[in-house]
Amino acid sequence: MDLGQTIKSIRKQKGLKQNQFAALCDITQAYLSQIENNLKEPNLSTLKVISNNLETPLPILFFLSLDNKDVKPEKAEAFKMIAPSVKSLVNQFFVAQ
């Protein structure tokens, strides 16, 4: 799961600079940077603030963060085939401006 990269990608799609977004979330830019680089795992309340400010439901953030390592080996091939299309569709509905 690459939650940090997902947060960073959506933040950038929304046209927000890291310092702006950190201020919106009432966290430091250093902490946001650590989250986006997967060096820190934010608690659930911080994740809720981040998802609210990204205007993206928290379950959608989690879904967009999934990768092959998060899927059972017997389902990995199917996930690999459908994930790009499904993620693109979800992104259009919940993330794109």
Side-chain angles (χ1 to χ4, degrees):
M1 182 169 276
D2 196 350
L3 187 58
Q5 183 58 44
T6 300
I7 291 168
K8 182 178 184 176
S9 175
I10 295 171
R11 172 183 60 78
K12 287 184 169 188
Q13 285 180 45
K14 303 256 181 203
L16 295 166
K17 295 191 183 279
Q18 196 176 59
N19 62 339
Q20 295 171 312
F21 189 64
L24 276 175
C25 295
D26 200 28
I27 58 177
T28 66
Q29 182 178 355
Y31 184 48
L32 178 59
S33 175
Q34 291 173 328
I35 292 169
E36 290 183 348
N37 289 301
N38 294 309
L39 300 173
K40 294 277 186 179
E41 290 186 19
N43 61 34
L44 188 55
S45 63
T46 301
L47 279 174
K48 286 179 181 178
V49 170
I50 288 171
S51 76
N52 285 339
N53 284 305
L54 289 174
E55 299 174 334
T56 305
L58 191 53
I60 298 301
L61 279 181
F62 287 136
F63 176 77
L64 293 173
S65 300
L66 291 175
D67 59 28
N68 284 345
K69 296 176 282 189
D70 301 314
V71 178
K72 291 181 182 182
E74 62 271 15
K75 304 205 183 221
E77 191 61 34
F79 179 80
K80 185 178 177 182
M81 288 173 44
I82 66 167
S85 297
V86 173
K87 286 183 177 187
S88 175
L89 184 63
V90 168
N91 192 47
Q92 287 177 12
F93 277 97
F94 291 100
V95 179
Q97 296 189 38

